[in-house]
Amino acid sequence: MLQKSTFLIIDGNSLMHRAFHALPLMDADGTYTNAIHGFLQMILKVIKDEHIQYVAVCFDEHGPTFRHTAYPDYKAGRAATPPELRQQFETIRTLLDQMGIKRYGLVGWEADDLLGTLSQMGVQKGLSPILLTGDRDALQLVSNDVELMFTRKGISDTIRFTPEKVVEEYGFSPDQVTDWKGLAGDSSDNIPGIQGIGDKTAVKLLQTYGNLDEIFLHASEVKGKLGEKLRAGEEIARMCKSLATIRKDAPVEFKPEDCLMPDLTHAIPALQQLRLNQIIRRFIGTASDTQQESKAENSGFSEAVTIPGQESEISSAHTTSDKGLLHDQKPALLSFRDETVVHSSEELQNWFSALPSSDNKDAILGIMLSDTQVSFATLNGCFASVPIGGDFFHLGLEPSDVLALLTPVIVDRPFVVHDLKHFLHELDTCHMPVPMHAVWDTMLGAYLLNPQEKSFSFDSVSHDLPADARGVLTLYLWQKEQITRENMLELMDSVELPLSYTLFHMEKAGFRIDGTHLRKLGEKYTHELEQLRHAIWDACGEEFNLNSPKQLSEVLFEKLKLPHGKKTSKGYSTSVEVLEDLRPIRPDVIEPMLRYRQLTKLNGTYIESLLPLMDAEDRIHSFFDQTATATGRISSSEPNLQNIPVRTEEGREIREAFLPRDGWTIVDADYSQIELRLMAHFSGDHAMVDAFVHGQDVHARTASEIFDVPMDEVTPTLRSRAKAVNFGLIYGISSFGLARNTGVSRQEAAQFMSRYFERYPGVKEFMDRCIEEGEEHGYASTIMGRRRYLPELRDSKAQVREFGKRVAMNMPVQGTAADIIKIAMVRVDEALREQGMQSRLILQVHDELILECPPEEVDKASQLLKESMENVIQLRVPLIAEVHHGKNWSEAK
């Protein structure tokens, strides 16, 4: 029997921001699509999983709202929307129109208010609203009639809120959300709350008194500092509650028929232009699945799955990633003689019991988890699929049931999956032990074969194999053959595969955060930002939006007549490089502007973004991506902990907020000049090798060589310039870039470089050799054999070819540095566990590893860390790791 029709109401701005920061930028002919890709992926999944029958998307419109009128500093200090995201908002609006999905936006009102209004109207029309957002403000809209799907991390990790779940997760009810914000404030919206009252105190007050009215009614009874804060903060708390309250009376016209689920496939031609091939495939796949179900009314997909005249385009679009690769043709699907659909736990147990023994050559088990099924395949031709969700729930088979039955089977059995780290998290979520016998990860296999793929989802790398365990097992055998042929099997077996386990442990452990310290920093930055804003306005003679590149450009180049570069369709550039060039001309404007941008970024990225990500134990759990970079470097996201400034006071202040467990110590080890040491190793240059072997200050040695002065007469300025040359040349820097970095003329920079290569001829020979080999073989490689393909070297544009040359020179050094730190991570993690120590690896930042250790293990863990890092590989020069420890990350850095 059908329930009420489901009405999906989407917070467009929230989901676009979430997708943009979760996925790497994807550039299709100058059009960035990562936010669009993630946005569509999220809503398609919900549409399919929830059998959505009505849908609408709400967007903020540009301009102030009634909240800004009530409180001018509302949302002040927010970082400007990145231009790469801004351009995607207009594209997604157009796409939604082409898909036939109703959009709502209202000047002067926020998307939250539209969500509130539409959900109330939907209930009144007999619909069952589901809100999809990443904004905690919407928790106040949860009721017995309205559910909330909240995006916690990435684009797939969601939590579903009912009133009971809100209480379970936060300790207060949906009705108390605005009271909570009135007390504790909300830094993301610049809602101050009562000074000195944080989240936990606010929750305790609400649990004791119920709401703001009762709290202030009894404020005289609250003793000590807390009572003083309450009595002094009543007015601000009530104002903050008002700001945080979502309105449900926005003047929008709602007709359910306008929001009926449309035929989404109408947007396929536009998606083809944006090269969103995975989304196209999902449209078609979802349409096919929908037809095979009960063809429920308003299912949202047309019966004609393919578009006449475009079948071949869709097919070729899916396989464009094959172009230019040096690998065999697509893999042929293995033959499966026994294909079974399993409907009960007993059937699945019987199927597992019939598997070949663990020591049999056919013992490897292919596993695939998807939204609709869990499937298994064996090399002796057996395949079983277990439908999950939907009509199968009454059979008692949920993903956790299947994983519980699977876990004992793979305790000592080799298995293959796509995205091992995600699989381990799935098991952990169901409280299953971690199996240690993964022999392959087809996502990592695809990454090693072509690290420049835009996506490593199974659909993107499957070569049209079925998206189940049969496809995984087939792809494994094909990838292993290619990777063995290209001498990267050791890289897979000894580096990437075990690293997945290490990263899983790190993500699960997380890093403890001092929220109070961060909030104080946020208040400090907000105060300085306000001062900077007024200083800039005074210097420019008018008030304008400092976060608007267009308005800043008009003031700098049209009003103040400062020199500018070439005008583009978006106006004159106001990038940091441009502003730096203008600093000597108008320091009164440019210096505070540069500081304003720095603080805005820090406040947005490391204050406002970190606080909402803290779990119940005050820990944040960054996502470590093994497949994000072509060089092999690991990336960190949600939050990104790899870009905190290293040498600034602000960076040190932020690191002070990163703490170990109570009573424990942070131990930090950093490779000393690893890339220069690798340059010495690869080039074999006598002078550079000699400097490292004898423990000399390599930058002072370089300064001595290229400036022709004795080592003991090298000044800090000369050393600094030599350092810029040393590191710049690793990345193929030009004389123009070196001049900018050192503050000398381009001619002087060219002379520095010329003298450098005279003194270090081996370096020049090595760099030339890298380019020659790149042109000959089509790729550059590391010591471990990791490849980065170089199609840029064959490009028709000279600028692109020059970039390809820099990549060819850089990849052996930077890629090998990435391999080395990965091996060190695996060795440290495994050694700590094998020795039964409590110390754990919790973070990697480029060439730096961070542990948290109990006091009795600090010395032993420090020694283990140093030895593991320094003995990864034997080079012509020694690897040196410098180890420090302290009560927080800053002190240990």
Side-chain angles (χ1 to χ4, degrees):
M1 186 174 70
L2 288 175
Q3 298 177 337
K4 288 183 180 180
S5 298
T6 51
F7 179 21
L8 178 64
I9 311 172
I10 299 163
D11 184 340
N13 289 73
S14 172
L15 260 65
M16 286 288 284
H17 277 275
R18 169 69 69 185
F20 178 78
H21 292 291
L23 298 175
L25 283 173
M26 295 182 284
D27 187 353
D29 297 329
T31 304
Y32 290 104
T33 58
N34 64 323
I36 298 167
H37 183 278
F39 178 92
L40 293 176
Q41 221 176 318
M42 280 189 275
I43 69 169
L44 285 175
K45 183 179 188 305
V46 176
I47 286 170
K48 180 179 179 182
D49 291 352
E50 303 295 330
H51 306 288
I52 298 300
Q53 292 155 295
Y54 296 83
V55 62
V57 183
C58 302
F59 286 104
D60 292 331
E61 295 295 332
H62 183 69
T65 68
F66 58 86
R67 292 183 179 87
H68 293 88
T69 302
Y71 181 57
D73 286 338
Y74 180 65
K75 293 191 175 180
R78 273 197 174 184
T81 302
E84 296 88 354
L85 171 57
R86 195 182 311 116
Q87 70 185 44
Q88 296 183 62
F89 270 104
E90 192 55 44
T91 305
I92 197 64
R93 285 182 168 94
T94 302
L95 271 176
L96 290 171
D97 291 344
Q98 292 168 327
M99 292 162 69
I101 290 180
K102 177 69 174 176
R103 290 193 290 114
Y104 289 90
L106 197 60
V107 174
W109 296 74
E110 294 185 59
D112 283 351
D113 301 307
L114 304 184
L115 259 69
T117 302
L118 290 174
S119 61
Q120 180 169 279
M121 290 177 167
V123 170
Q124 291 169 353
K125 296 288 187 180
L127 303 180
S128 180
I130 298 175
L131 309 180
L132 180 59
T133 181
D135 188 343
R136 289 195 299 180
D137 288 348
L139 289 169
Q140 63 189 273
L141 300 176
V142 176
S143 69
N144 292 329
D145 298 310
V146 179
E147 292 191 359
L148 171 68
M149 295 188 72
F150 183 78
T151 58
R152 291 191 295 189
K153 195 170 186 179
I155 59 171
S156 59
D157 183 10
T158 60
I159 181 171
R160 193 185 192 103
F161 281 107
T162 59
E164 295 76 20
K165 185 64 176 176
V166 175
V167 175
E168 176 189 331
E169 194 79 9
Y170 292 100
F172 51 76
S173 68
D175 292 339
Q176 294 173 306
V177 170
T178 54
D179 297 295
W180 171 56
K181 294 207 171 204
L183 293 167
D186 184 346
S187 60
S188 65
D189 288 338
N190 200 37
I191 297 176
I194 298 177
Q195 188 170 4
I197 292 185
D199 291 342
K200 292 180 180 178
T201 303
V203 171
K204 289 178 182 176
L205 287 167
L206 289 172
Q207 290 173 343
T208 303
Y209 298 106
N211 57 47
L212 276 190
D213 289 338
E214 289 298 315
I215 289 171
F216 292 121
L217 188 63
H218 295 87
S220 60
E221 303 168 10
V222 181
K223 301 186 184 303
K225 293 288 186 183
L226 179 57
E228 294 175 12
K229 292 172 183 175
L230 286 174
R231 290 186 287 276
E234 179 174 357
E235 184 178 348
I236 191 74
R238 293 192 184 281
M239 184 269 287
C240 292
K241 174 176 178 172
S242 175
L243 289 175
T245 299
I246 293 175
R247 297 268 293 271
K248 298 181 182 180
D249 59 346
V252 295
E253 183 179 349
F254 171 65
K255 297 178 181 177
E257 58 269 26
D258 291 343
C259 299
L260 273 170
M261 179 61 66
D263 175 6
L264 304 180
T265 58
H266 287 317
I268 285 180
L271 293 169
Q272 286 177 313
Q273 291 182 358
L274 294 169
R275 300 180 186 174
L276 294 173
N277 305 313
Q278 184 184 354
I279 298 297
I280 294 171
R281 186 176 175 86
R282 193 154 190 169
F283 270 24
I284 294 173
T286 307
S288 300
D289 292 343
T290 305
Q291 292 165 26
Q292 291 171 13
E293 293 173 355
S294 60
K295 294 188 178 179
E297 185 181 2
N298 300 324
S299 62
F301 295 93
S302 65
E303 297 216 2
V305 176
T306 51
I307 299 175
Q310 293 183 343
E311 299 92 335
S312 60
E313 290 183 29
I314 294 173
S315 174
S316 64
H318 182 60
T319 60
T320 51
S321 60
D322 297 334
K323 294 179 181 178
L325 292 187
L326 308 177
H327 308 134
D328 286 349
Q329 296 302 310
K330 299 177 185 178
L333 180 66
L334 298 175
S335 175
F336 288 87
R337 53 179 171 73
D338 180 13
E339 300 189 0
T340 305
V341 178
V342 177
H343 294 121
S344 71
S345 297
E346 183 180 0
E347 288 179 72
L348 185 58
Q349 282 179 316
N350 291 337
W351 194 88
F352 283 149
S353 65
L355 290 174
S357 63
S358 296
D359 56 356
N360 189 293
K361 65 181 178 64
D362 294 330
I364 294 176
L365 182 66
I367 306 169
M368 171 64 95
L369 310 181
S370 76
D371 297 337
T372 58
Q373 69 174 10
V374 183
S375 57
F376 308 98
T378 64
L379 289 175
N380 64 348
C382 295
F383 171 72
S385 61
V386 187
I388 56 175
D391 295 336
F392 291 91
F393 271 125
H394 72 276
L395 298 172
L397 278 176
E398 298 186 37
S400 57
D401 299 319
V402 179
L403 294 178
L405 294 172
L406 171 65
T407 302
V409 175
I410 55 177
V411 165
D412 58 357
R413 175 180 298 278
F415 65 93
V416 174
V417 293
H418 187 85
D419 194 348
L420 172 60
K421 179 158 64 72
H422 176 73
F423 177 69
L424 297 178
H425 278 298
E426 290 285 340
L427 290 175
D428 186 63
T429 299
C430 299
H431 307 291
M432 301 297 154
V434 176
M436 300 303 296
H437 294 279
V439 295
W440 203 262
D441 178 344
T442 50
M443 182 182 77
L444 296 178
Y447 173 60
L448 290 182
L449 288 171
N450 183 19
Q452 285 127 290
E453 286 276 12
K454 289 182 177 179
S455 169
F456 293 95
S457 68
F458 189 80
D459 279 349
S460 299
V461 303
S462 65
H463 304 279
D464 293 324
L465 292 168
D468 56 34
R470 295 171 300 176
V472 167
L473 208 54
T474 302
L475 192 58
Y476 150 62
L477 294 176
W478 180 82
Q479 286 180 348
K480 186 173 183 180
E481 182 180 351
Q482 308 301 319
I483 284 175
T484 301
R485 181 180 303 162
E486 296 180 6
N487 298 313
M488 289 190 288
L489 190 58
E490 178 72 10
L491 187 61
M492 170 64 96
D493 290 344
S494 300
V495 183
E496 296 295 350
L497 208 57
L499 182 67
S500 286
Y501 283 95
T502 298
L503 295 178
F504 159 71
H505 293 310
M506 291 167 58
E507 289 179 355
K508 182 180 177 182
F511 207 143
R512 185 175 165 222
I513 295 291
D514 183 344
T516 301
H517 178 79
L518 283 182
R519 290 186 188 91
K520 288 180 180 177
L521 282 183
E523 292 170 2
K524 173 182 165 185
Y525 295 161
T526 301
H527 178 68
E528 186 177 349
L529 283 167
E530 185 64 18
Q531 292 178 320
L532 290 166
R533 191 179 291 113
H534 285 281
I536 295 166
W537 289 342
D538 290 345
C540 295
E542 67 174 90
E543 294 186 7
F544 61 97
N545 183 358
L546 303 187
N547 297 323
S548 165
K550 182 175 183 296
Q551 291 185 34
L552 178 61
S553 174
E554 290 171 354
V555 170
L556 294 181
F557 305 123
E558 294 177 18
K559 178 180 179 178
L560 300 181
K561 307 296 184 184
L562 297 179
H564 53 72
K566 184 178 179 182
K567 191 170 187 177
T568 68
S569 59
K570 297 179 180 178
Y572 300 115
S573 171
T574 59
S575 67
V576 171
E577 291 78 12
V578 169
L579 295 182
E580 287 286 1
D581 288 340
L582 296 175
R583 189 199 292 259
I585 304 173
R586 284 298 302 267
D588 59 327
V589 174
I590 303 303
E591 288 183 2
M593 188 65 222
L594 288 168
R595 175 66 175 168
Y596 178 86
R597 281 193 174 174
Q598 177 195 24
L599 284 185
T600 299
K601 181 177 181 181
L602 288 174
N603 202 37
T605 306
Y606 298 112
I607 307 298
E608 295 177 355
S609 297
L610 286 180
L611 290 169
L613 295 175
M614 293 165 60
D615 66 12
E617 297 178 347
D618 294 337
R619 298 182 78 89
I620 56 170
H621 302 266
S622 184
F623 173 79
F624 299 103
D625 195 338
Q626 276 178 268
T627 64
T629 69
T631 60
R633 287 258 188 201
I634 301 167
S635 76
S636 160
S637 62
E638 297 186 77
N640 181 355
L641 299 181
Q642 295 182 334
N643 285 342
I644 301 175
V646 176
R647 295 178 181 84
T648 66
E649 178 62 27
E650 290 75 23
R652 287 188 287 273
E653 288 178 334
I654 291 170
R655 281 185 171 84
E656 288 174 2
F658 288 78
L659 308 173
R661 300 181 191 180
D662 282 337
W664 285 33
T665 298
I666 296 293
V667 175
D668 183 300
D670 202 344
Y671 276 119
S672 170
Q673 301 171 333
I674 187 172
E675 291 181 337
L676 285 178
R677 291 172 189 271
L678 286 169
M679 177 62 82
H681 170 79
F682 281 118
S683 69
D685 184 90
H686 175 75
M688 187 173 280
V689 170
D690 185 69
F692 283 118
V693 168
H694 290 92
Q696 293 178 335
D697 179 339
V698 70
H699 301 313
R701 169 80 179 253
T702 299
S704 173
E705 296 278 1
I706 66 176
F707 297 119
D708 231 358
V709 296
M711 283 269 287
D712 58 3
E713 294 181 18
V714 170
T715 65
T717 300
L718 293 181
R719 184 184 182 280
S720 177
R721 289 176 178 174
K723 182 177 180 179
V725 176
N726 274 329
F727 283 115
L729 290 177
I730 290 177
Y731 296 96
I733 199 170
S734 64
S735 58
F736 175 79
L738 184 60
R740 179 188 292 275
N741 290 352
T742 56
V744 300
S745 69
R746 191 169 180 177
Q747 183 178 7
E748 287 178 291
Q751 291 172 352
F752 291 171
M753 294 173 67
S754 177
R755 287 201 293 268
Y756 181 93
F757 287 130
E758 287 174 8
R759 297 296 193 273
Y760 298 109
V763 174
K764 183 68 166 71
E765 291 169 9
F766 166 69
M767 295 169 76
D768 291 342
R769 188 166 66 249
C770 286
I771 296 172
E772 291 170 7
E773 292 177 354
E775 291 173 338
E776 178 183 353
H777 302 300
Y779 62 85
S781 60
T782 69
I783 284 180
M784 292 292 295
R786 184 187 305 278
R787 295 185 179 187
R788 197 281 193 190
Y789 290 93
L790 300 167
E792 299 91 347
L793 292 176
R794 298 187 296 274
D795 198 274
S796 60
K797 298 176 183 176
Q799 187 177 4
V800 176
R801 291 197 302 274
E802 287 303 310
F803 170 74
K805 291 178 181 179
R806 291 196 296 274
V807 172
M809 292 185 288
N810 172 242
M811 175 61 187
V813 172
Q814 190 176 358
T816 297
D819 289 344
I820 286 173
I821 196 73
K822 284 180 171 180
I823 297 170
M825 292 171 69
V826 171
R827 290 188 180 178
V828 169
D829 184 46
E830 290 181 348
L832 291 172
R833 294 175 190 282
E834 287 169 2
Q835 296 182 31
M837 297 174 66
Q838 298 180 69
S839 301
R840 290 291 178 261
L841 179 63
I842 57 173
L843 185 61
Q844 178 262 355
V845 179
H846 305 312
D847 306 324
E848 175 185 3
L849 297 183
I850 299 160
L851 307 180
E852 62 174 357
C853 311
E856 66 274 14
E857 291 183 1
V858 169
D859 291 342
K860 183 178 179 181
S862 298
Q863 186 64 25
L864 183 152
L865 185 58
K866 183 175 178 66
E867 290 177 355
S868 298
M869 292 177 71
E870 292 184 346
N871 296 312
V872 165
I873 193 170
Q874 294 299 312
L875 304 174
R876 300 176 198 250
V877 299
L879 281 176
I880 302 296
E882 298 173 345
V883 184
H884 306 278
H885 58 82
K887 63 185 179 183
N888 58 52
W889 185 9
S890 178
E891 190 176 289
K893 176 66 178 159

